[in-house]
PDB file of all heavy atoms in Angstrom:
ATOM      1  N   GLN G   1     -17.004  66.463-128.838  1.00 93.00           N
ATOM      2  CA  GLN G   1     -17.173  66.419-127.384  1.00 93.00           C
ATOM      3  C   GLN G   1     -18.547  66.896-126.942  1.00 93.00           C
ATOM      4  O   GLN G   1     -19.145  66.341-126.009  1.00 93.00           O
ATOM      5  CB  GLN G   1     -16.083  67.265-126.707  1.00 93.00           C
ATOM      6  CG  GLN G   1     -16.247  67.391-125.197  1.00 93.00           C
ATOM      7  CD  GLN G   1     -15.071  68.056-124.524  1.00 93.00           C
ATOM      8  OE1 GLN G   1     -13.980  67.516-124.505  1.00 93.00           O
ATOM      9  NE2 GLN G   1     -15.284  69.246-123.976  1.00 93.00           N
ATOM     10  N   GLU G   2     -19.083  67.914-127.599  1.00 92.00           N
ATOM     11  CA  GLU G   2     -20.311  68.545-127.131  1.00 92.00           C
ATOM     12  C   GLU G   2     -21.526  67.621-127.193  1.00 92.00           C
ATOM     13  O   GLU G   2     -22.418  67.708-126.354  1.00 92.00           O
ATOM     14  CB  GLU G   2     -20.580  69.826-127.924  1.00 92.00           C
ATOM     15  CG  GLU G   2     -19.551  70.926-127.685  1.00 92.00           C
ATOM     16  CD  GLU G   2     -19.462  71.339-126.226  1.00 92.00           C
ATOM     17  OE1 GLU G   2     -20.497  71.343-125.542  1.00 92.00           O
ATOM     18  OE2 GLU G   2     -18.349  71.645-125.767  1.00 92.00           O
ATOM     19  N   ILE G   3     -21.588  66.736-128.187  1.00 94.00           N
ATOM     20  CA  ILE G   3     -22.774  65.868-128.240  1.00 94.00           C
ATOM     21  C   ILE G   3     -22.765  64.872-127.096  1.00 94.00           C
ATOM     22  O   ILE G   3     -23.819  64.507-126.553  1.00 94.00           O
ATOM     23  CB  ILE G   3     -22.893  65.144-129.600  1.00 94.00           C
ATOM     24  CG1 ILE G   3     -24.313  64.584-129.736  1.00 94.00           C
ATOM     25  CG2 ILE G   3     -21.834  64.037-129.743  1.00 94.00           C
ATOM     26  CD1 ILE G   3     -24.671  64.153-131.130  1.00 94.00           C
ATOM     27  N   TRP G   4     -21.575  64.456-126.667  1.00 95.00           N
ATOM     28  CA  TRP G   4     -21.500  63.545-125.533  1.00 95.00           C
ATOM     29  C   TRP G   4     -21.876  64.252-124.244  1.00 95.00           C
ATOM     30  O   TRP G   4     -22.496  63.646-123.351  1.00 95.00           O
ATOM     31  CB  TRP G   4     -20.103  62.948-125.443  1.00 95.00           C
ATOM     32  CG  TRP G   4     -19.756  62.150-126.659  1.00 95.00           C
ATOM     33  CD1 TRP G   4     -18.846  62.473-127.634  1.00 95.00           C
ATOM     34  CD2 TRP G   4     -20.334  60.910-127.074  1.00 95.00           C
ATOM     35  NE1 TRP G   4     -18.817  61.523-128.608  1.00 95.00           N
ATOM     36  CE2 TRP G   4     -19.720  60.544-128.298  1.00 95.00           C
ATOM     37  CE3 TRP G   4     -21.313  60.071-126.530  1.00 95.00           C
ATOM     38  CZ2 TRP G   4     -20.062  59.378-128.974  1.00 95.00           C
ATOM     39  CZ3 TRP G   4     -21.648  58.897-127.206  1.00 95.00           C
ATOM     40  CH2 TRP G   4     -21.032  58.573-128.411  1.00 95.00           C
ATOM     41  N   VAL G   5     -21.535  65.522-124.145  1.00 93.00           N
ATOM     42  CA  VAL G   5     -21.968  66.305-122.987  1.00 93.00           C
ATOM     43  C   VAL G   5     -23.493  66.410-122.978  1.00 93.00           C
ATOM     44  O   VAL G   5     -24.135  66.348-121.929  1.00 93.00           O
ATOM     45  CB  VAL G   5     -21.326  67.712-123.000  1.00 93.00           C
ATOM     46  CG1 VAL G   5     -21.898  68.582-121.878  1.00 93.00           C
ATOM     47  CG2 VAL G   5     -19.815  67.602-122.846  1.00 93.00           C
ATOM     48  N   GLY G   6     -24.089  66.553-124.169  1.00 93.00           N
ATOM     49  CA  GLY G   6     -25.544  66.600-124.262  1.00 93.00           C
ATOM     50  C   GLY G   6     -26.196  65.313-123.786  1.00 93.00           C
ATOM     51  O   GLY G   6     -27.231  65.330-123.103  1.00 93.00           O
ATOM     52  N   ILE G   7     -25.604  64.169-124.129  1.00 95.00           N
ATOM     53  CA  ILE G   7     -26.122  62.884-123.663  1.00 95.00           C
ATOM     54  C   ILE G   7     -25.956  62.755-122.150  1.00 95.00           C
ATOM     55  O   ILE G   7     -26.866  62.312-121.435  1.00 95.00           O
ATOM     56  CB  ILE G   7     -25.410  61.724-124.392  1.00 95.00           C
ATOM     57  CG1 ILE G   7     -25.783  61.753-125.886  1.00 95.00           C
ATOM     58  CG2 ILE G   7     -25.764  60.382-123.772  1.00 95.00           C
ATOM     59  CD1 ILE G   7     -25.006  60.756-126.725  1.00 95.00           C
ATOM     60  N   TYR G   8     -24.793  63.151-121.654  1.00 95.00           N
ATOM     61  CA  TYR G   8     -24.528  63.139-120.203  1.00 95.00           C
ATOM     62  C   TYR G   8     -25.569  63.985-119.471  1.00 95.00           C
ATOM     63  O   TYR G   8     -26.151  63.549-118.467  1.00 95.00           O
ATOM     64  CB  TYR G   8     -23.125  63.674-119.952  1.00 95.00           C
ATOM     65  CG  TYR G   8     -22.693  63.705-118.501  1.00 95.00           C
ATOM     66  CD1 TYR G   8     -21.905  62.684-117.985  1.00 95.00           C
ATOM     67  CD2 TYR G   8     -23.046  64.756-117.666  1.00 95.00           C
ATOM     68  CE1 TYR G   8     -21.495  62.715-116.657  1.00 95.00           C
ATOM     69  CE2 TYR G   8     -22.652  64.791-116.340  1.00 95.00           C
ATOM     70  CZ  TYR G   8     -21.871  63.772-115.840  1.00 95.00           C
ATOM     71  OH  TYR G   8     -21.474  63.809-114.523  1.00 95.00           O
ATOM     72  N   ASP G   9     -25.826  65.196-119.968  1.00 94.00           N
ATOM     73  CA  ASP G   9     -26.793  66.084-119.332  1.00 94.00           C
ATOM     74  C   ASP G   9     -28.208  65.516-119.375  1.00 94.00           C
ATOM     75  O   ASP G   9     -29.004  65.728-118.446  1.00 94.00           O
ATOM     76  CB  ASP G   9     -26.778  67.464-120.001  1.00 94.00           C
ATOM     77  CG  ASP G   9     -25.526  68.269-119.654  1.00 94.00           C
ATOM     78  OD1 ASP G   9     -24.822  67.881-118.699  1.00 94.00           O
ATOM     79  OD2 ASP G   9     -25.270  69.275-120.330  1.00 94.00           O
ATOM     80  N   ALA G  10     -28.539  64.818-120.450  1.00 95.00           N
ATOM     81  CA  ALA G  10     -29.869  64.212-120.554  1.00 95.00           C
ATOM     82  C   ALA G  10     -30.105  63.220-119.421  1.00 95.00           C
ATOM     83  O   ALA G  10     -31.206  63.129-118.864  1.00 95.00           O
ATOM     84  CB  ALA G  10     -30.035  63.527-121.912  1.00 95.00           C
ATOM     85  N   VAL G  11     -29.051  62.475-119.070  1.00 96.00           N
ATOM     86  CA  VAL G  11     -29.157  61.523-117.966  1.00 96.00           C
ATOM     87  C   VAL G  11     -29.167  62.256-116.629  1.00 96.00           C
ATOM     88  O   VAL G  11     -30.029  62.019-115.776  1.00 96.00           O
ATOM     89  CB  VAL G  11     -27.996  60.510-118.006  1.00 96.00           C
ATOM     90  CG1 VAL G  11     -28.049  59.595-116.789  1.00 96.00           C
ATOM     91  CG2 VAL G  11     -28.044  59.699-119.291  1.00 96.00           C
ATOM     92  N   ALA G  12     -28.225  63.154-116.443  1.00 95.00           N
ATOM     93  CA  ALA G  12     -28.084  63.854-115.157  1.00 95.00           C
ATOM     94  C   ALA G  12     -29.319  64.659-114.797  1.00 95.00           C
ATOM     95  O   ALA G  12     -29.665  64.797-113.618  1.00 95.00           O
ATOM     96  CB  ALA G  12     -26.856  64.765-115.198  1.00 95.00           C
ATOM     97  N   GLN G  13     -30.024  65.191-115.810  1.00 95.00           N
ATOM     98  CA  GLN G  13     -31.179  66.064-115.571  1.00 95.00           C
ATOM     99  C   GLN G  13     -32.514  65.377-115.826  1.00 95.00           C
ATOM    100  O   GLN G  13     -33.558  66.027-115.871  1.00 95.00           O
ATOM    101  CB  GLN G  13     -31.045  67.308-116.454  1.00 95.00           C
ATOM    102  CG  GLN G  13     -29.793  68.114-116.174  1.00 95.00           C
ATOM    103  CD  GLN G  13     -29.545  69.192-117.210  1.00 95.00           C
ATOM    104  OE1 GLN G  13     -30.441  69.580-117.962  1.00 95.00           O
ATOM    105  NE2 GLN G  13     -28.318  69.703-117.268  1.00 95.00           N
ATOM    106  N   ASP G  14     -32.490  64.066-116.017  1.00 96.00           N
ATOM    107  CA  ASP G  14     -33.732  63.311-116.268  1.00 96.00           C
ATOM    108  C   ASP G  14     -34.549  63.940-117.399  1.00 96.00           C
ATOM    109  O   ASP G  14     -35.761  64.114-117.297  1.00 96.00           O
ATOM    110  CB  ASP G  14     -34.594  63.230-115.005  1.00 96.00           C
ATOM    111  CG  ASP G  14     -33.983  62.337-113.933  1.00 96.00           C
ATOM    112  OD1 ASP G  14     -33.199  61.446-114.283  1.00 96.00           O
ATOM    113  OD2 ASP G  14     -34.294  62.554-112.753  1.00 96.00           O
ATOM    114  N   ARG G  15     -33.884  64.241-118.495  1.00 96.00           N
ATOM    115  CA  ARG G  15     -34.554  64.930-119.588  1.00 96.00           C
ATOM    116  C   ARG G  15     -35.316  63.968-120.493  1.00 96.00           C
ATOM    117  O   ARG G  15     -34.920  62.825-120.692  1.00 96.00           O
ATOM    118  CB  ARG G  15     -33.540  65.711-120.425  1.00 96.00           C
ATOM    119  CG  ARG G  15     -32.809  66.806-119.659  1.00 96.00           C
ATOM    120  CD  ARG G  15     -31.829  67.545-120.555  1.00 96.00           C
ATOM    121  NE  ARG G  15     -32.532  68.312-121.583  1.00 96.00           N
ATOM    122  CZ  ARG G  15     -31.906  68.940-122.587  1.00 96.00           C
ATOM    123  NH1 ARG G  15     -30.597  68.858-122.688  1.00 96.00           N
ATOM    124  NH2 ARG G  15     -32.608  69.616-123.472  1.00 96.00           N
ATOM    125  N   ARG G  16     -36.421  64.461-121.057  1.00 96.00           N
ATOM    126  CA  ARG G  16     -37.199  63.754-122.075  1.00 96.00           C
ATOM    127  C   ARG G  16     -37.137  64.592-123.348  1.00 96.00           C
ATOM    128  O   ARG G  16     -37.598  65.734-123.364  1.00 96.00           O
ATOM    129  CB  ARG G  16     -38.654  63.567-121.643  1.00 96.00           C
ATOM    130  CG  ARG G  16     -38.813  62.718-120.379  1.00 96.00           C
ATOM    131  CD  ARG G  16     -40.268  62.661-119.950  1.00 96.00           C
ATOM    132  NE  ARG G  16     -41.089  61.987-120.946  1.00 96.00           N
ATOM    133  CZ  ARG G  16     -41.373  60.690-120.931  1.00 96.00           C
ATOM    134  NH1 ARG G  16     -40.889  59.922-119.967  1.00 96.00           N
ATOM    135  NH2 ARG G  16     -42.125  60.145-121.867  1.00 96.00           N
ATOM    136  N   LEU G  17     -36.564  64.026-124.397  1.00 95.00           N
ATOM    137  CA  LEU G  17     -36.348  64.754-125.639  1.00 95.00           C
ATOM    138  C   LEU G  17     -37.081  64.044-126.771  1.00 95.00           C
ATOM    139  O   LEU G  17     -36.778  62.899-127.103  1.00 95.00           O
ATOM    140  CB  LEU G  17     -34.845  64.843-125.943  1.00 95.00           C
ATOM    141  CG  LEU G  17     -34.000  65.482-124.837  1.00 95.00           C
ATOM    142  CD1 LEU G  17     -32.518  65.234-125.087  1.00 95.00           C
ATOM    143  CD2 LEU G  17     -34.278  66.972-124.748  1.00 95.00           C
ATOM    144  N   GLY G  18     -38.045  64.723-127.350  1.00 93.00           N
ATOM    145  CA  GLY G  18     -38.867  64.117-128.374  1.00 93.00           C
ATOM    146  C   GLY G  18     -38.273  64.231-129.759  1.00 93.00           C
ATOM    147  O   GLY G  18     -37.680  65.244-130.117  1.00 93.00           O
ATOM    148  N   GLY G  19     -38.436  63.166-130.555  1.00 93.00           N
ATOM    149  CA  GLY G  19     -38.082  63.185-131.958  1.00 93.00           C
ATOM    150  C   GLY G  19     -39.350  63.221-132.785  1.00 93.00           C
ATOM    151  O   GLY G  19     -40.397  63.646-132.307  1.00 93.00           O
ATOM    152  N   GLN G  20     -39.280  62.756-134.024  1.00 92.00           N
ATOM    153  CA  GLN G  20     -40.473  62.726-134.858  1.00 92.00           C
ATOM    154  C   GLN G  20     -41.405  61.579-134.479  1.00 92.00           C
ATOM    155  O   GLN G  20     -42.619  61.718-134.552  1.00 92.00           O
ATOM    156  CB  GLN G  20     -40.083  62.587-136.335  1.00 92.00           C
ATOM    157  CG  GLN G  20     -39.621  63.885-136.979  1.00 92.00           C
ATOM    158  CD  GLN G  20     -39.583  63.783-138.486  1.00 92.00           C
ATOM    159  OE1 GLN G  20     -39.344  62.730-139.049  1.00 92.00           O
ATOM    160  NE2 GLN G  20     -39.820  64.901-139.153  1.00 92.00           N
ATOM    161  N   SER G  21     -40.831  60.456-134.077  1.00 92.00           N
ATOM    162  CA  SER G  21     -41.668  59.294-133.798  1.00 92.00           C
ATOM    163  C   SER G  21     -41.375  58.634-132.458  1.00 92.00           C
ATOM    164  O   SER G  21     -42.091  57.719-132.051  1.00 92.00           O
ATOM    165  CB  SER G  21     -41.506  58.246-134.917  1.00 92.00           C
ATOM    166  OG  SER G  21     -40.140  57.874-135.065  1.00 92.00           O
ATOM    167  N   GLY G  22     -40.344  59.071-131.769  1.00 94.00           N
ATOM    168  CA  GLY G  22     -39.983  58.470-130.490  1.00 94.00           C
ATOM    169  C   GLY G  22     -39.470  59.515-129.522  1.00 94.00           C
ATOM    170  O   GLY G  22     -39.465  60.719-129.814  1.00 94.00           O
ATOM    171  N   CYS G  23     -39.022  59.052-128.371  1.00 96.00           N
ATOM    172  CA  CYS G  23     -38.573  59.965-127.317  1.00 96.00           C
ATOM    173  C   CYS G  23     -37.322  59.404-126.652  1.00 96.00           C
ATOM    174  O   CYS G  23     -37.248  58.205-126.348  1.00 96.00           O
ATOM    175  CB  CYS G  23     -39.683  60.136-126.290  1.00 96.00           C
ATOM    176  SG  CYS G  23     -39.328  61.340-124.992  1.00 96.00           S
ATOM    177  N   LEU G  24     -36.332  60.259-126.452  1.00 96.00           N
ATOM    178  CA  LEU G  24     -35.119  59.897-125.729  1.00 96.00           C
ATOM    179  C   LEU G  24     -35.332  60.267-124.263  1.00 96.00           C
ATOM    180  O   LEU G  24     -35.658  61.413-123.950  1.00 96.00           O
ATOM    181  CB  LEU G  24     -33.922  60.653-126.305  1.00 96.00           C
ATOM    182  CG  LEU G  24     -32.534  60.107-125.983  1.00 96.00           C
ATOM    183  CD1 LEU G  24     -32.303  58.799-126.726  1.00 96.00           C
ATOM    184  CD2 LEU G  24     -31.473  61.125-126.380  1.00 96.00           C
ATOM    185  N   ILE G  25     -35.165  59.290-123.371  1.00 97.00           N
ATOM    186  CA  ILE G  25     -35.467  59.508-121.953  1.00 97.00           C
ATOM    187  C   ILE G  25     -34.221  59.256-121.121  1.00 97.00           C
ATOM    188  O   ILE G  25     -33.676  58.141-121.117  1.00 97.00           O
ATOM    189  CB  ILE G  25     -36.602  58.579-121.484  1.00 97.00           C
ATOM    190  CG1 ILE G  25     -37.860  58.794-122.341  1.00 97.00           C
ATOM    191  CG2 ILE G  25     -36.908  58.812-120.003  1.00 97.00           C
ATOM    192  CD1 ILE G  25     -38.950  57.782-122.070  1.00 97.00           C
ATOM    193  N   GLY G  26     -33.765  60.277-120.428  1.00 97.00           N
ATOM    194  CA  GLY G  26     -32.642  60.131-119.517  1.00 97.00           C
ATOM    195  C   GLY G  26     -33.135  59.863-118.107  1.00 97.00           C
ATOM    196  O   GLY G  26     -34.142  60.428-117.681  1.00 97.00           O
TER     197      GLY G  26
END
């Protein structure tokens, strides 16, 4: 459940999360 909450929060908070070669943008 917690990883889905993390994805939900990324969208709700307009988060930008960097990886090694790309970026996840909510």
Side-chain angles (χ1 to χ4, degrees):
Q1 175 172 294
E2 294 301 325
I3 196 166
W4 298 110
V5 174
I7 294 173
Y8 181 98
D9 287 346
V11 175
Q13 300 170 18
D14 290 335
R15 298 180 67 187
R16 298 176 64 93
L17 303 167
Q20 281 194 329
S21 57
C23 185
L24 198 71
I25 303 172

